[in-house]
């Protein structure tokens, strides 16, 4: 995914759509990072709830005689039988064992590679094993002192406010499972559990939770087909799987039931942005602002303006959103957004200041940790950046930080760094294989990573597939670059120009355009855009910035 999208809304228990917002985190083409979301409670009666980023309280039914299998650990991501599907959404009995996380991921990747690609299955199987180790053991890398806190507050799902205060998403899921054992017909509880799984998948880089989220949300809808909280949850799940047409459809269905459902209003904006329908997204932001003004809408408003090149307005709106934020999750999210905006404009000192504020609010907040490492690298603090990214990928092995770390290894070029970089890129392949096995459309992630660090034909195929579904500036840029690395520069040029046509100030896009213009015999345009990329954000990429300078020197020498 490309943009910053926020999933956030919070409601007062028992008061629908009270409008106390919480934000959602920026995507990192690696996956969506989601901060603190709406809260909801499910008491003994199982009726109170909230709609928001992670979903609203709404529930589902289960027969008390069914065997429970949910334990809070990912289950095998294979397509379940009907009986298995029923069990997958049942609350867990504490004694019910589940397969080891590593075994699950190895099996998933091997299934993906089994058909006619034996050599790749072996390769991906090994990578998946490393990925599983990172997913399960990474908490140690970030420090055992934080182990009891679990996931950051900013990534918590719509569950009990008391549990949210502790920031432990796993504990929140366990509590929901216990509640649903006692109240299996609580449609609100099932919807909340489904959204909790969505957040767990996204924050831990673990797509195996998505099928379980789908089952829980479907259980909720089976109990009450018109409950807007579960419909909003389906919109969030579709967006997390990069099915943006589906996300838009579910958001529209939700808003027919409840025009003030903040989760659905936010998901609708996100889907329109990710489909490249920027004018419609602008109108949707205005509608959401009238109905449910707050941090989630403000941050989306800022991003829509940033996509049009209006950085001044984007920064002003984010400043106001930060001033209006009070919870740690909101502060971490908005401050990280400001840090990303400053970094993208080459203001690394300001970016680091914003990231520091975000981490003061939540020291485990992934977008701020990743952004800080990126800003450190751009500032010449390579050793700090590498150390930070190593800690990040140990716990959150997502494509974005994996590629960034691999490129920093390549740029450092010490003995053994080439092998370390190759390992990071192989883990991206493993992650995308697991993601696809669990219903995630990973075409954009694949195109971006494979164009520079993988199979070029695969990159082009993935980019074309993604473009066939949506026409965003990010997909246009990915397709242009995939065409370029495959020697199809004449075909690439219109897409590269389309990627920059909205005015979006992105140094990587300008770099790609300049390189493609150079290859197609437009030296003056190439010099203009390569210079613009380096002026805007001279440290936009450890490898890309270096290559941009080399290309510019070649053009200058040929004048």
């Amino acid at each position: 995914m490309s943009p910053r999208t926020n999933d956030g809304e919070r409601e007062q228990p028992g008061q629908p759509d009270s409008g106390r917002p919480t934000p959602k985190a920026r995507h990192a083409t690696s996956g969506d990072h989601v901060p603190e979301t709406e809260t909801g409670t499910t008491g003994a009666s199982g009726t109170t709830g909230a709609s928001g980023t992670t979903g609203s309280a709404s529930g589902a039914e289960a027969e008390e005689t069914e065997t429970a299998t949910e334990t809070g650990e990912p289950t095998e991501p294979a397509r379940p039988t009907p009986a298995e599907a029923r069990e997958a959404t049942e609350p867990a009995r504490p004694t019910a064992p589940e397969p080891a996380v590593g075994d699950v991921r190895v099996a998933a990747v091997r299934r993906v590679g089994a058909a006619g690609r034996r050599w790749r299955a072996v390769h991906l199987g090994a990578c998946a094993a490393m990925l599983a180790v990172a997913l399960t053991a990474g908490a140690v890398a970030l420090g055992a002192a934080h182990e009891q806190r679990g996931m950051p507050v900013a990534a918590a799902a719509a569950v009990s406010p008391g549990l949210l205060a502790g920031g432990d998403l796993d504990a929140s899921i366990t509590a929901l499972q216990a509640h649903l054992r006692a109240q299996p017909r609580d449609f609100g509880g099932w919807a909340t559990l489904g959204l909790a799984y969505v957040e767990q998948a996204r924050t831990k880089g673990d797509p195996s939770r998505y099928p379980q989220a789908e089952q829980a949300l479907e259980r909720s809808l089976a109990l009450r087909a018109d409950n807007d909280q579960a419909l909003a949850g389906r919109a969030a799940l579709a967006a997390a799987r990069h099915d943006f047409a589906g996300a838009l459809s579910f958001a529209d269905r939700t808003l027919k039931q409840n025009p003030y459902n903040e989760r659905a209003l936010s998901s609708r904006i996100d889907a329109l942005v990710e489909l490249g329908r920027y004018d419609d997204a602008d109108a949707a932001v205005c509608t959401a602002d009238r109905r449910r003004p707050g941090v989630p809408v403000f941050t989306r408003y800022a991003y829509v303006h940033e996509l049009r090149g209006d950085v001044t307005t984007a920064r002003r709106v984010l400043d106001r959103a930060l001033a209006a934020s009070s919870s740690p999750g909101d502060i971490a999210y908005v401050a990280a957004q400001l840090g990303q905006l400053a970094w993208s404009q080459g203001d690394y000192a300001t970016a680091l200041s914003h990231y520091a504020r975000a981490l003061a609010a939540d020291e485990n907040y992934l977008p701020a940790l990743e952004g800080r490492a990126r800003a450190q690298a751009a500032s010449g603090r390579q050793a700090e950046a590498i150390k930070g990214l190593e800690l990040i990928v140990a716990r959150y092995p997502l494509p974005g930080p994996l590629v960034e770390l691999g490129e920093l290894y390549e740029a450092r070029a010490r003995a053994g760094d080439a092998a370390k970089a190759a390992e990071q890129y192989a883990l991206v392949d493993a992650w995308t294989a697991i993601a696809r096995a669990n219903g995630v459309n990973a075409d954009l992630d694949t195109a971006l990573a494979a164009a520079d660090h993988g199979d070029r034909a695969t990159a082009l195929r993935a980019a074309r597939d993604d473009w066939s579904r949506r026409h965003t500036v990010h997909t246009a840029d990915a397709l242009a670059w995939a065409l370029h690395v495959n020697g199809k520069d004449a075909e690439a040029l219109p897409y590269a120009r389309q990627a920059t046509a909205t005015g979006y100030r992105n140094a990587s896009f300008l770099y790609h355009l300049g390189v493609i213009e150079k290859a197609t015999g437009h030296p003056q345009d190439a010099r203009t855009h390569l210079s613009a990329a380096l002026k805007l954000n001279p440290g936009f990429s450890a490898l890309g910035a270096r290559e941009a300078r080399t290309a510019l020197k070649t053009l200058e020498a040929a004048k």
Side-chain angles (χ1 to χ4, degrees):
M1 245 171 87
S2 41
R4 293 188 293 272
T5 51
N6 331 307
D7 268 351
E9 101 174 79
R10 191 185 306 171
E11 297 178 3
Q12 297 284 0
Q15 297 179 2
D17 297 317
S18 64
R20 293 179 55 200
T22 52
K24 167 191 167 188
R26 181 183 190 274
H27 143 21
T29 89
S30 47
D32 297 317
H33 306 308
V34 183
E36 185 173 348
T37 64
E38 45 112 41
T39 63
T41 60
T42 50
S45 63
T47 58
T48 55
S51 69
T53 305
T54 54
S56 312
S58 43
E61 175 180 13
E63 296 181 8
E64 295 180 3
T65 58
E66 292 177 344
T67 302
T69 61
E70 286 299 334
T71 65
E73 294 297 328
T75 59
E76 177 66 43
R79 180 176 294 277
T81 65
E84 290 169 341
R86 182 179 65 249
E87 292 180 359
T89 55
E90 286 294 332
R93 292 177 180 173
T95 58
E98 288 202 349
V101 177
D103 294 339
V104 172
R105 285 167 178 70
V106 172
V109 174
R110 285 175 177 166
R111 281 196 301 276
V112 172
R117 294 181 287 129
R118 298 290 181 183
W119 68 272
R120 184 165 177 79
V122 173
H123 176 64
L124 287 178
C127 294
M130 290 187 289
L131 184 65
V133 171
L135 284 167
T136 57
V140 176
L142 283 184
H146 305 306
E147 199 56 25
Q148 296 303 316
R149 296 185 58 207
M151 297 306 299
V153 171
V159 291
S160 163
L163 290 172
L164 278 174
D168 192 336
L169 180 58
D170 293 340
S172 301
I173 289 173
T174 299
L176 276 168
Q177 292 167 348
H179 167 75
L180 289 168
R181 282 197 297 272
Q183 299 288 337
R185 300 183 63 84
D186 175 12
F187 67 90
W190 285 108
T192 303
L193 180 63
L195 268 297
Y197 286 147
V198 172
E199 297 311 315
Q200 192 174 57
R202 292 200 278 194
T203 57
K204 291 190 174 183
D206 177 11
S208 68
R209 278 304 193 188
Y210 289 138
Q212 294 173 319
E214 183 175 8
Q215 292 158 10
L217 292 167
E218 284 301 312
R219 173 79 65 149
S220 176
L221 290 168
L223 282 165
R224 182 169 297 183
D226 62 348
N227 82 80
D228 63 290
Q229 296 91 344
L231 289 171
R234 287 305 306 265
L237 176 61
R241 283 173 154 172
H242 298 185
D243 173 15
F244 300 110
L248 180 60
S249 176
F250 276 114
D252 285 341
R253 284 178 59 185
T254 306
L255 293 172
K256 287 182 180 179
Q257 297 295 328
N258 178 6
Y260 294 90
N261 185 300
E262 186 176 58
R263 169 80 274 267
L265 289 167
S266 298
S267 290
R268 189 169 193 277
I269 299 167
D270 296 342
L272 290 168
V273 166
E274 291 290 356
L275 291 169
R277 295 169 54 179
Y278 299 131
D279 289 340
D280 291 337
D282 196 9
V285 167
C286 293
T287 297
D289 190 40
R290 288 195 304 270
R291 295 179 184 176
R292 295 295 300 273
V295 171
V297 175
F298 297 160
T299 50
R300 286 171 170 84
Y301 183 93
Y303 186 62
V304 168
H305 278 268
E306 184 186 348
L307 284 171
R308 298 185 182 280
D310 187 0
V311 174
T312 300
T313 296
R315 184 184 299 111
R316 183 175 67 249
V317 171
L318 288 174
D319 282 335
R320 291 180 178 177
L322 184 58
S325 299
S326 57
S327 72
D330 286 1
I331 293 169
Y333 171 64
V334 181
Q337 295 293 290
L338 281 163
Q340 166 63 22
L341 185 62
W343 174 85
S344 70
Q345 307 306 303
D347 187 354
Y348 307 135
T350 298
L352 287 167
S353 177
H354 286 307
Y355 290 133
R357 182 167 184 185
L359 293 170
D362 183 348
E363 61 187 350
N364 286 330
Y365 187 49
L366 176 59
L369 290 169
E370 184 181 350
R372 181 178 65 182
R374 193 186 306 116
Q376 287 169 338
S379 302
R381 295 157 58 180
Q382 186 185 72
E384 293 175 78
I386 289 175
K387 182 179 179 180
L389 284 170
E390 286 173 341
L391 292 173
I392 290 168
V393 301
R395 190 171 186 180
Y396 308 103
L398 297 165
L402 285 168
V403 169
E404 289 166 7
L405 180 57
E407 291 189 346
L408 282 176
Y409 284 141
E410 286 196 63
R412 187 174 66 178
R414 290 181 183 173
D417 277 349
K420 289 182 179 179
E423 182 180 284
Q424 308 312 308
Y425 305 144
L427 286 171
V428 174
D429 289 343
W431 185 91
T432 56
I434 294 169
R436 291 181 190 281
N438 287 279
V440 178
N441 180 337
D443 281 339
L444 186 56
D445 297 289
T446 299
L448 290 168
D452 286 323
H453 309 295
D455 182 77
R456 294 174 178 180
T458 297
L460 181 54
R461 182 168 57 251
R464 288 193 190 278
D465 287 347
D466 207 51
W467 182 257
S468 71
R469 290 184 294 274
R470 56 193 184 120
H471 293 178
T472 72
V473 293
H474 296 84
T475 306
D477 171 71
L479 179 54
W481 196 240
L483 286 164
H484 163 71
V485 299
N486 280 276
K488 301 177 182 293
D489 290 295
E491 187 181 353
L493 185 57
Y495 293 107
R497 287 176 172 168
Q498 186 169 342
T500 60
T502 66
Y504 183 41
R505 291 167 55 82
N506 186 300
S508 181
F509 288 12
L510 292 168
Y511 158 61
H512 289 163
L513 176 59
V515 169
I516 293 168
E517 287 171 334
K518 178 177 180 290
T520 52
H522 299 83
Q524 184 174 346
D525 290 338
R527 283 193 298 272
T528 297
H529 290 120
L530 289 169
S531 298
L534 293 169
K535 181 179 180 181
L536 175 63
N537 185 0
F540 69 89
S541 163
L543 300 182
R546 185 175 67 188
E547 292 168 5
R549 292 185 182 92
T550 299
L552 190 57
K553 287 180 181 179
T554 301
L555 288 165
E556 293 294 341
K559 288 174 69 175

